[in-house]
Structures are given as C-alpha cells and as structure tokens.
Amino acid sequence: MNLLKKLTIATSIAAASFAGYAYGQDFQWKEAQSNGYTYKYVTNDPTAARYYTLKNGLTVILSPTSKDPRVQVYIATKAGSKTDPADHTGLAHYLEHMLFKGTDKFGSKDWAKEKPLLDQIDALYEKYNKTKDEAKRKEIYKEIDKVSGEAAKYAIANEYDKMMTGMGAEGTNAFTSFEQTVYTEDIPANVMDKFLAVQSERFRQPVLRLFHTELEAVYEEKNRTLDDDGDKVIDMMFANLFPNNNYGKQTTIGTIEHLKNPSLKAIRDYYNNYYVPNNMGVIMSGDFNPDEVIAKIDKAFSFMKTKTVPEYKIGQEKPITSPVVKEVVGPNPESVMLGFRFPGATTKDARLLNLVGNILTNGQAGLIDLDLVKKQKLLSAFASPYILKDYSVLLIQGRPTEGQSMDEVKTLLLQEIDKLRKGEFSDDLIQSIVNNEKKNIIEKDEKYSSRASILMDEFTSGVDHKVSLEYVDEISKLTKKDIMDFAAKYLQDNNYVAVYKKKGEDKSIVKVDKPTITPVSVNREDQSPFLKKIDEMPENAIAPVWLNYDKDIAKNKLGNVEILSVKNTDNALFRMYYYFDSGKWNNKILPLAAEYLQYLGTKNKSSEDISKEFYKLASSFNVIAGNEETYVSVEGLNENFEKTAALFEDLIKNCQADPKALEAYKARLKKARANAKQNKSTIMAGLRSYAQYGPQNPFNNVLSDAELDALKAEDLIKVLHDLFNFKHKVLYYGPKAGNEVVAALTPIHKLPASLKELPKTKTFVQIPTDKSKVLFAHYDMVQAEVFWVRNADQYNSTITPTVNLFNSYFGGGMGSIVFQTIRESKALAYSTYSYFALPGKKEDKDVVMAYVGTQADKFNESTTAMNELLTTLPKSEQLFETAKSGLKKSIASERVTQDGIIFSYLKAQRLGNNTDIRKNVYEQAPKLSFADINAFHDKEMKGKNYTYCLVASQDKVNEADMKKLGEVKKLNLNEIFGY
C-alpha cells in the first residue's frame, strides 16, 4: 500500500482550483433535488460536482464525465496517523492494510471454524503486548505463529483483489497520511453494481485475518523507510516544526516499539471510532449518471450508523523564535531543507502560501528558478507548500554543488526569502502565475482520475470547493505589497527549522528484526459464496475501441518533414513534439546539449528573459534525449501557439555559447554524477543494464571525466544549431487541424532544402544469459534488493496475448501468484513482482524480470522462494480465469486518446506492427488455457540461467550465500557508471 502521498504537496488549495478557464465567473453554492435526493453544487463549476449528505451522514461527491468508460473512486476516512493512539502509533496505517483481508462473508472458506482461531490470536496478541520478558514473548509468538497457521487454512488470501481484478479494476490500493486514510480503485463504468456490493461488504465488518504475515509486510515497509534518507529528513523536519502537534509527535508508519507490540483490540476500536459514515466520503469521477449512482451508493451504505467521532485536540504550537538546526545522517547525497510553519488548509493564508510557493519556484521564472537553478549556484533547489488541516508548511530544499558547505546552501536559500520580503521579484510575476494556473487547471480537468483526486483531497482537508474554484480570481487581485506583508509575517530570518542531510553512517538505525514465521496457506483454488455471487451479477458489456492509425491521425507535410496530428476537441491546450529517430547512443553529448540549452540566451535575450517570456505565455519546452529517440516538446495555450513555437525556434537556432555557464554546468554535472553513485536505485539501474548488455552498456555510455573536461561550449552549440537540419517528424495534439499546423509552422520552422540522415554509429546488443551469475554492488542499507534478469528471444508479436495474460496471472498485482506466495504466504517482502517484458523495437529481445526487496537476513529465503516460482508455475484455475476476465474488461474500457494515439502509432511502427496490438490481445487471450501459459512459463523461465542484480550491504549478505546462486562479480561504481 502507499504509505503516504509524499511531496505532491499543495493538493487541496491550488490543485483543487481547476476552474482556470472559468476565471472571473460567479461561484455560488446552490441546492437542487433530483431522483428524490437533495444535493449541493457550485454554479459554473466545470467539474459539475454534486455534493450529497446521506441520512447517516455519509458524504458522497459525484463528478460525471463521459470521456472514458471508467470511474475513479476514492473511499476516504478523515483519520490518519495524527489520530493514532499515542501508545499505538502506526495503527491507522496497518488497519489500512487489513481492510483488504475480507469479512465473515469473503476471504474465508469456513467462517465457523476460522473465527474461534482468530479469537485465540486476538487474546494471544493482547498477552504478547503486555508481556515484557523476552523469553516469554518468544514463546507467545511461537503460539501466535502456530495458531495463525491453523487459522490460515480457512482463509482465502487476496479474495478482495481477485474480485477487483475480475471486474477489470486498475490501481487497487490505499494510502495513509496524517489525516486521511483513502482506498482507491479505477473501475470500468459497467461494474458499478458489483463494485458497490463489494465495498459495502468490505466496510460492514472487516475481519483482521492473516494478521501476523501482514504485520511482517509492515515491518518490511518500516525497514524501507529506514533506508530512505528523504523519509528521515521529513520525519526530522516535522518532529521539530510540530513538537506539540501529532504531525511531529507521531509518524504514519509508527515506532518500532509499537509495531512490535500490536493490539488487534486497539485496531478494532480505531475502526469502530473513525470508520463511521459521518467521518467518511465516497468520491467518484467518471462515466456515470449521478441520479442513478447516488441511489445505489445510498442503498449500499445505508447499513452504516452515525456515531460521534472522538474529539481530536489540535496540538497548539508556540512561535519559533530562533532557528532550529538538526542533522540527519545517511548514505544519500547532502542537502539542506528549511521549513516554515503556516496556518491550516481552510485559511486564506494557506491559499496565499501556495502563491508564494509559485513565486519562489514554478519551474521557469520563480526566484529560486532564476537565481539559484538557472545561475547554477546550487545543484538543485525548490520550494513547495505542504498543505495540511491543522497547520501548513513551506519546505525549501537545496543541494550543494562541489565544495559548497551546508551553511552556504542555507544562506543562499534564505537570501531568496529575503528577496520575497523586499519585493525583489518581477512586477508581472503574479499575473504570469495566474495565467499558468489557468492552464494547469485545464490540464487537471482532462482526466477523470485527477478530478476525483482533487475532490477527495478537498474533502479530507475540509477545504470549501467554492473557495477552491475562486482561487485564481483571488490571487489575481493580490499585489506585490500583499506578498511582501505576508512574507514579513511568516517568513522571518529566525522562525524556521533547518535539517542538514549529511553523508555518513546512521548508527542510530535499529531495524525491525525478522520474527519466525511459518508460511501460511493461501488457498488459491477456494472461493467464497460471496465471490461467486458477485461474479454472477449482470453487467452490460463495454465495446472496445481500437485505433485506426490511418483515420485517427492526420498526416501532412511541411517540406520534407512529416506532420502527424490529432485534433484536440476538448480544450484550448496544445502539445507539440519534434521527434528524431536517434538519441544518445549515437551522440553522447546530445543529452548534455539538451540540458545546457536551459542556461543559454540569444543575441537579443538573456536566458532569464527567455524563461520569463515562456512563463508569461503559460508555455514551456523540454528536450528529452533518450537512448535511441529524441523528443523536443513544446506545450501551452493554443492562443499562444505561434509565439511559443517562434520563441523556442529562435532559442535553439540562435542560442549563443556561454563558456562561463558551461563551466558551472560541468561542475554541477560532476557533482550530480558523484551523487548518482550514492543512490541505490540508480546503482540498481546500472546493474540491470550491465546484466542485459554487458560491461559496455547504455547506462555507462557517457562521457568520461576527461572527455567532460575537454568539452567546449562550441561543441554543444553546434549540436543544438544543427538539430533541425536532421530528418525528423513533427507530432501535434491541439485545437488546430493538420493543415492549420502546417500553415502556422511554415514561417517559423524554416528547413533546409534537404535534411541530413540521422547518425547510426552505435548499437548495443543484449548479451545471452548463458550462465547464472550475481552482480553485486555494496550499499550501506538495512534491506537487500534483488533483480532477476534474463535476456530471452527476439521480439515476436504473436506471443503478445500470452505475455499479457501470463503477467496478469503470475506477477502483475496483489492477487498474482508472486505476491500471494512471497508476501502473503511467506511474509518475505513488502514489494515483490515478476514480469515478461516485450521490447520497444522489433530487433531487440524480450526480457524476464523479477524483483524482491527484503530484509538482508531474509536474502536466502526470498531468493529461494522466487526461484521456486520461476521453476514451477503454481496452478489455480480460479485465479487464471480471474486474470483472463480482468484483462479483457480492462482493455475493453481503455481509451487511447490525445497524443497517446500518436505515440501508440510510433511504438507500433518500431515493433513492425501496422494495427492496434490490443485488438489481438483482446481477441486471442480469452482463448488461451492454463496449459498455454504453463508451457510459456516452462519455455521462458523454468531451468533458465539468470543474472541476479544485488544491491545490499556487504556486511549483511554473506558472499557464500550469493555463490549459491551463481558466479559472483563484485562491481565497483566506476565499472557500473563509466566514470
């Protein structure tokens, strides 16, 4: 489950205001009745959201949109870690995990026999919780393990996930944060009745079964946070910003001591106290009739009874009167984070905070963007509001360049705050932010999923939807003096917390030790009567829609350049790409030139001027140099299309060499390259590339330190100036028709008489996995992360249906074989999966991948468990039929739209396909039998050699254990990274 929606931060304030294109309109709450239900709505609301309060107090928010035949659903509870009991922190989070385990009606094959055993487990945990003697605790835990094994014989693991998969649901998950616990599903529109029947039962009387294996998954999750320096920085920041409020006193995942002493009684009490209708909301956006759906929701949840929610007392904080400076130590690169405290989400000051965040950082023309990033004074820097109900926070983070001290980073960040207080920012910046908010808001309204997310965040944080809709109008009336006064009030030079993230060994880490857990039954073949009843409920089939590349894409010519376009009939946004069928494999300095461009100006405009101009137009550009493809993207408002395109073409064709900027960029790049060697995920990416391609591979196909030193500004400028002289395509999605795009670009996109062929000088070929071996990289961490990699055969489109079905059955979700076995049955990992990956072009090979992230002391058990699954495919006809049904429904309700149509076409071309491959999967996958995917598994996985990519501490994983898997090669970071 997602532990926390981390720094996607200002969710409830600005992100909620997606009425940009309704700017200036009158927003008023009104009341209406329809189909016997009274609801409230806001006039001129582009989401057409209806707000219902049912008789039992349940809030229902419905936002219909028919673009896709799917519905995003959030079932939210206004409770999270801040309402955890002080002696049971982390409880809201592991209750969230348990809400996937079923009730007395599903998840059990014999409730009468299971219940007495679960009652015994309840009592044993209470006894365990109160016992302090370690020897006695171990004896009690042995009994818990024994009785849990007996109880599991009557449990049906993951039956909830199986039902959702069978419906064609996607994104089955949940997350817990400070003041929200939210359950999320994205369902086909035609399974609403089935979905509500399951959810109604799910929240009727949840049963806390399979608890000790799920608790071990939470232990794993805790250990993952101990390896995450970013989590530790946030925890330290909040602990010092909020010494009296539960934001700082309690973490979402809880303390090790509390995790080791769970109480099922306390969990049940928490559920009964907070999971009540007057504290919950059902939020939906998608393809439905709200009159029909509200009646169905009412019927489904009418059993819930209103109940007084325990009073939550906000811990009041005293003003910070002198800087609080703390340190966090860990293996990741250094950084400095500053935090300032603000009022909570429902206040005007919280809304102003979001504007201030944009004045500091907006990606283009903020104070920090221009002064620290564009001028390359720091490796990176950003400011971001974190809006919460009790209080809000402004977080500002900077990473040092080579040789910079933490204090120097802090000083630079505080200087930008001082400029804010003094009003040393552009007079038209507020209006530029307003323009960009309008555009961002239209973008958010394009997808039903983002609509639902915004409405859900408003609900849990108590933000008034009308106020959110008025946000753009509100900030447009603010003056520079308003901002200066606001900054003077809240952003002083002494009222902050600073957290210095230093590199080193964190000797304070105490991991959650592995308890002895006997694998439990998962009973894959069993089904509850409830599941059968759900399966038998009628549903109207959704007809799939396939792409027709000849009809869906307009093809025009601008000179020798092909223009592929899809018309946007929904709104006034455009996205355009210059597409090159070549990338950094053939030109190692191309990605450097692409990044260097952001620091350059032309003869008539400085780099800062260009950034400001793009931001005023509510537009942006990006150059993405991939391995074998390059995309130059330009996006914005259609009314500014010509200005935006002309501004970018002027920049890339007329940018001027800036040796000083290059030297600063080189210094920052060297520091970034050094930092990459301190990131375990990046190290793992290098190992995987090494496993597929050998010592010389795409990952380390970079300039050496000497080559980087020798690089001249003129070398990069030549690449940029010459780019449009090579063969390329223009891809366009926007309000213009293809011929209108040609007409608009003709005076802007000037082309030579003939275009040069793209260089094809470098090719990386996947190497045979001819023997099993271990590629090991040392990293100071609690966990061990293992990737299995095997290069298979060359791409063959005919196996695509089999691959899709196999992945869904074997390793593609919480109901899959891999997840059920390694996490649910054996409690060996928090995260684990496996899949058969098809390549991006027809000349490449397929790849078998598998992953386990586990505690280092479970390395042997977890690798053995995965290898057993790679050797023998467990058979479950029930799970197989569920996977088949879910795959077909998911494809039927999927709609490839917008520029996704063009990208689908390009992908099909690279794979040698002329039609929408999904049609083949939809028609052929249902015809496959279990014997077919078992034969596929045996051919591609059983008895095969694998390269095991292992990132772990050399002090925690024994080399002798590695050698059991194959020949061990310990790679140093220079071998992995190429510098």
Side-chain angles (χ1 to χ4, degrees):
M1 320 299 166
N2 292 332
L3 172 61
L4 178 61
K5 291 176 82 179
K6 292 184 185 172
L7 305 179
T8 16
I9 304 180
T11 50
S12 341
I13 303 298
S17 333
F18 44 110
Y21 52 96
Y23 167 61
Q25 294 195 31
D26 183 42
F27 299 109
Q28 296 295 331
W29 278 109
K30 298 286 185 180
E31 189 171 281
Q33 286 190 335
S34 185
N35 196 31
Y37 289 88
T38 300
Y39 63 90
K40 293 182 178 180
Y41 68 98
V42 178
T43 56
N44 297 307
D45 176 7
T47 73
R50 294 185 181 186
Y51 287 72
Y52 299 86
T53 302
L54 300 181
K55 291 178 181 178
N56 60 5
L58 180 68
T59 297
V60 180
I61 305 172
L62 302 178
S63 172
T65 172
S66 58
K67 293 179 186 176
D68 299 85
R70 296 191 67 88
V71 181
Q72 175 64 54
V73 186
Y74 292 104
I75 299 178
T77 300
K78 293 181 178 180
S81 59
K82 79 176 188 183
T83 47
D84 280 342
D87 58 347
H88 285 293
T89 60
L91 188 151
H93 174 234
Y94 51 72
L95 170 59
E96 169 225 304
H97 281 242
M98 297 310 295
L99 261 292
F100 288 79
K101 301 300 181 184
T103 68
D104 56 340
K105 301 296 185 194
F106 75 87
S108 180
K109 56 188 285 189
D110 192 331
W111 174 241
K113 292 180 180 178
E114 184 188 21
K115 186 180 186 304
L117 295 167
L118 294 179
D119 290 342
Q120 285 185 50
I121 294 168
D122 261 29
L124 285 168
Y125 267 114
E126 292 307 309
K127 184 178 178 183
Y128 183 76
N129 202 335
K130 294 171 183 175
T131 302
K132 304 302 178 186
D133 182 86
E134 281 302 318
K136 290 181 180 178
R137 282 171 61 85
K138 286 184 179 178
E139 289 304 311
I140 297 170
Y141 199 87
K142 283 183 182 177
E143 188 65 16
I144 289 173
D145 183 61
K146 178 184 175 183
V147 181
S148 294
E150 287 299 311
K153 293 177 182 177
Y154 303 106
I156 307 173
N158 299 103
E159 192 161 39
Y160 173 84
D161 306 289
K162 293 173 187 176
M163 287 190 285
M164 298 315 301
T165 298
M167 292 182 206
E170 297 172 0
T172 298
N173 215 324
F175 56 85
T176 304
S177 186
F178 293 109
E179 52 215 2
Q180 59 179 189
T181 305
V182 183
Y183 302 85
T184 173
E185 297 286 357
D186 183 331
I187 61 171
N190 64 330
V191 298
M192 183 66 73
D193 291 342
K194 289 184 174 184
F195 172 77
L196 289 174
V198 172
Q199 300 307 316
S200 171
E201 175 60 24
R202 178 192 201 184
F203 289 97
R204 181 183 59 80
Q205 190 176 334
V207 170
L208 308 181
R209 59 170 57 89
L210 300 172
F211 180 74
H212 84 315
T213 52
E214 191 62 39
L215 187 62
E216 174 64 5
V218 176
Y219 290 169
E220 288 283 356
E221 197 170 1
K222 177 68 175 180
N223 284 333
R224 289 166 77 90
T225 68
L226 297 176
D227 284 331
D228 190 325
D229 288 349
D231 279 345
K232 293 191 288 185
V233 167
I234 291 293
D235 287 348
M236 182 66 76
M237 174 60 71
F238 274 72
N240 287 278
L241 277 173
F242 301 109
N244 299 314
N245 188 284
N246 281 353
Y247 290 160
K249 292 166 68 176
Q250 301 182 174
T251 64
T252 299
I253 200 163
T255 67
I256 289 177
E257 183 63 26
H258 292 162
L259 288 175
K260 289 166 64 177
N261 292 282
S263 166
L264 291 165
K265 180 180 180 299
I267 297 173
R268 205 169 283 109
D269 289 344
Y270 189 96
Y271 179 85
N272 291 332
N273 284 333
Y274 293 102
Y275 282 68
V276 295
N278 45 304
N279 196 46
M280 296 178 69
V282 177
I283 299 94
M284 294 186 181
S285 182
D287 188 11
F288 55 78
N289 181 329
D291 285 340
E292 295 176 0
V293 168
I294 186 59
K296 292 178 179 182
I297 294 173
D298 188 11
K299 182 179 179 182
F301 290 97
S302 60
F303 71 89
M304 300 181 88
K305 304 300 180 186
T306 304
K307 184 178 178 182
T308 301
V309 178
E311 181 184 2
Y312 169 73
K313 294 182 179 179
I314 298 175
Q316 300 295 332
E317 298 295 349
K318 297 177 181 178
I320 298 172
T321 56
S322 61
V324 179
V325 181
K326 297 292 179 178
E327 290 185 1
V328 166
V329 179
N332 287 359
E334 309 92 338
S335 67
V336 175
M337 179 177 280
L338 306 181
F340 296 84
R341 204 165 56 214
F342 286 81
T346 60
T347 65
K348 180 179 179 180
D349 285 344
R351 298 192 294 278
L352 263 64
L353 171 58
N354 186 73
L355 174 62
V356 164
N358 273 318
I359 291 173
L360 290 169
T361 306
N362 53 53
Q364 291 176 280
L367 284 170
I368 289 175
D369 300 319
L370 297 176
D371 295 340
L372 303 184
V373 177
K374 189 165 279 290
K375 292 180 180 177
Q376 304 188 84
K377 293 179 181 178
L378 291 175
L379 184 62
S380 64
F382 72 88
S384 189
Y386 200 150
I387 308 297
L388 291 165
K389 196 169 184 177
D390 299 352
Y391 289 95
S392 299
V393 177
L394 178 66
L395 298 175
I396 308 173
Q397 187 175 62
R399 296 191 183 277
T401 58
E402 189 62 41
Q404 267 183 328
S405 69
M406 298 285 203
D407 287 337
E408 288 172 321
V409 175
K410 184 181 78 170
T411 298
L412 287 170
L413 296 175
L414 289 174
Q415 285 174 355
E416 299 309 308
I417 295 294
D418 189 52
K419 290 179 182 178
L420 192 68
R421 289 195 296 263
K422 293 177 179 177
E424 295 177 4
F425 54 88
S426 173
D427 290 336
D428 57 7
L429 181 55
I430 294 176
Q431 185 55 49
S432 294
I433 290 171
V434 169
N435 294 341
N436 280 273
E437 283 294 337
K438 294 178 189 178
K439 184 196 74 175
N440 295 340
I441 281 157
I442 297 171
E443 288 176 338
K444 290 183 175 73
D445 192 38
E446 285 186 321
K447 289 294 290 181
Y448 64 95
S449 53
S450 60
R451 279 189 180 197
S453 177
I454 290 164
L455 294 168
M456 178 274 297
D457 273 322
E458 285 181 354
F459 168 73
T460 57
S461 58
V463 171
D464 187 323
H465 186 54
K466 171 181 176 288
V467 174
S468 291
L469 293 169
E470 293 171 334
Y471 173 73
V472 173
D473 191 46
E474 181 180 26
I475 64 173
S476 69
K477 297 172 183 176
L478 296 174
T479 65
K480 179 179 284 191
K481 185 178 184 305
D482 293 327
I483 303 303
M484 293 166 61
D485 291 344
F486 182 79
K489 180 179 179 181
Y490 291 110
L491 298 169
Q492 299 159 15
D493 57 8
N494 63 348
N495 68 335
Y496 62 85
V497 173
V499 179
Y500 285 14
K501 164 60 195 62
K502 295 188 173 180
K503 189 168 174 9
E505 180 184 357
D506 186 351
K507 296 182 179 178
S508 69
I509 287 182
V510 180
K511 70 169 186 172
V512 186
D513 289 327
K514 174 186 74 172
T516 300
I517 292 180
T518 305
V520 299
S521 305
V522 292
N523 300 317
R524 291 191 187 98
E525 282 303 290
D526 289 297
Q527 287 183 322
S528 65
F530 181 82
L531 181 147
K532 295 174 183 175
K533 173 186 164 187
I534 294 297
D535 279 351
E536 290 167 1
M537 290 177 67
E539 60 184 63
N540 295 319
I542 294 176
V545 176
W546 312 124
L547 296 179
N548 183 323
Y549 298 130
D550 292 327
K551 293 181 179 179
D552 295 337
I553 300 173
K555 299 179 175 71
N556 297 83
K557 282 277 191 175
L558 174 60
N560 294 323
V561 172
E562 184 178 24
I563 294 182
L564 306 176
S565 65
V566 171
K567 192 165 185 178
N568 176 4
T569 58
D570 293 331
N571 54 50
L573 300 181
F574 80 87
R575 291 187 287 273
M576 182 170 68
Y577 311 83
Y578 303 94
Y579 169 73
F580 300 83
D581 190 20
S582 182
K584 58 187 177 184
W585 280 11
N586 296 299
N587 187 346
K588 289 194 283 189
I589 70 172
L590 179 58
L592 307 186
E595 192 167 350
Y596 182 48
L597 180 62
Q598 67 180 297
Y599 307 115
L600 301 179
T602 63
K603 184 177 180 180
N604 301 316
K605 296 175 183 175
S606 69
S607 177
E608 290 79 5
D609 290 337
I610 292 168
S611 288
K612 289 178 181 178
E613 199 164 334
F614 269 111
Y615 197 62
K616 283 180 186 177
L617 293 169
S619 60
S620 65
F621 75 87
N622 194 19
V623 184
I624 304 169
N627 285 334
E628 299 179 87
E629 297 172 298
T630 300
Y631 290 90
V632 179
S633 66
V634 183
E635 59 82 35
L637 296 170
N638 183 57
E639 64 191 77
N640 296 328
F641 175 78
E642 286 82 356
K643 291 180 181 178
T644 300
L647 183 61
F648 176 74
E649 297 240 2
D650 179 48
L651 171 61
I652 198 166
K653 292 173 181 175
N654 299 308
C655 55
Q656 295 197 314
D658 187 337
K660 184 178 178 181
L662 179 60
E663 290 310 307
Y665 172 58
K666 285 182 183 180
R668 290 175 61 252
L669 182 58
K670 287 179 180 178
K671 177 64 174 174
R673 283 159 52 128
N675 286 355
K677 292 182 174 182
Q678 299 166 22
N679 184 296
K680 62 188 172 96
S681 297
T682 311
I683 294 169
M684 178 60 84
L687 290 183
R688 289 167 62 182
S689 186
Y690 196 111
Q692 286 191 68
Y693 297 94
Q696 302 301 315
N697 56 70
F699 184 85
N700 60 28
N701 180 46
V702 296
L703 296 181
S704 66
D705 290 338
E707 289 173 323
L708 185 59
D709 287 334
L711 194 63
K712 295 182 176 61
E714 291 74 16
D715 300 330
L716 298 177
I717 291 295
K718 184 179 185 303
V719 170
L720 295 169
H721 286 177
D722 205 29
L723 191 59
F724 285 148
N725 293 324
F726 287 97
K727 287 186 174 180
H728 60 277
K729 291 181 172 70
V730 173
L731 321 176
Y732 172 87
Y733 169 72
K736 297 183 186 299
N739 61 327
E740 294 173 318
V741 178
V742 173
L745 285 180
T746 297
I748 299 169
H749 193 53
K750 299 290 188 180
L751 297 166
S754 61
L755 295 170
K756 295 189 286 186
E757 290 290 336
L758 290 160
K760 298 281 186 178
T761 58
K762 184 82 172 179
T763 301
F764 290 97
V765 178
Q766 293 154 290
I767 60 175
T769 311
D770 52 9
K771 63 179 178 179
S772 289
K773 53 183 176 290
V774 177
L775 300 178
F776 175 78
H778 166 71
Y779 193 87
D780 181 20
M781 60 194 286
V782 174
Q783 291 224 314
E785 299 203 9
V786 193
F787 254 105
W788 284 248
V789 178
R790 186 183 84 80
N791 289 326
D793 298 326
Q794 189 172 332
Y795 174 73
N796 177 358
S797 65
T798 61
I799 68 169
T800 303
T802 305
V803 169
N804 277 261
L805 182 56
F806 173 80
N807 285 342
S808 179
Y809 175 81
F810 183 60
M814 287 192 286
S816 68
I817 292 292
V818 169
F819 190 90
Q820 279 193 2
T821 304
I822 294 178
R823 175 165 156 170
E824 295 293 300
S825 172
K826 301 184 178 182
L828 293 174
Y830 171 73
S831 178
T832 182
Y833 51 85
S834 179
Y835 58 91
F836 188 91
L838 298 172
K841 67 180 196 296
K842 61 185 178 182
E843 295 82 9
D844 289 346
K845 294 179 179 178
D846 306 319
V847 182
V848 178
M849 291 279 190
Y851 169 79
V852 171
T854 186
Q855 289 176 208
D857 56 4
K858 296 181 186 175
F859 172 73
N860 285 335
E861 295 166 87
S862 59
T863 51
T864 297
M866 183 63 82
N867 280 332
E868 287 173 353
L869 295 177
L870 294 173
T871 300
T872 304
L873 180 65
K875 181 178 181 179
S876 169
E877 285 291 349
Q878 301 294 348
L879 187 58
F880 177 68
E881 290 303 320
T882 297
K884 190 185 292 187
S885 170
L887 177 61
K888 185 172 182 179
K889 291 177 183 178
S890 182
I891 293 174
S893 59
E894 180 186 21
R895 297 294 179 263
V896 179
T897 60
Q898 303 181 355
D899 42 5
I901 297 172
I902 303 173
F903 295 128
S904 174
Y905 170 66
L906 294 176
K907 180 181 178 181
Q909 283 195 318
R910 291 193 297 272
L911 289 171
N913 299 328
N914 297 316
T915 59
D916 188 344
I917 192 69
R918 296 176 305 144
K919 184 173 187 290
N920 190 30
V921 176
Y922 182 83
E923 292 173 347
Q924 298 303 318
K927 300 175 183 177
L928 298 171
S929 65
F930 180 82
D932 293 321
I933 66 164
N934 190 55
F936 176 81
H937 172 275
D938 288 353
K939 177 180 180 294
E940 301 294 348
M941 296 182 174
K942 183 176 183 178
K944 301 296 183 181
N945 297 311
Y946 291 93
T947 300
Y948 299 83
C949 303
L950 172 62
V951 177
S953 169
Q954 60 192 9
D955 300 323
K956 293 184 171 68
V957 176
N958 192 300
E959 186 173 347
D961 291 332
M962 297 185 216
K963 288 180 177 177
K964 295 175 184 176
L965 301 174
E967 174 188 314
V968 177
K969 183 175 181 60
K970 294 185 176 182
L971 297 175
N972 63 51
L973 295 177
N974 288 349
E975 290 176 293
I976 296 171
F977 284 85
Y979 55 83

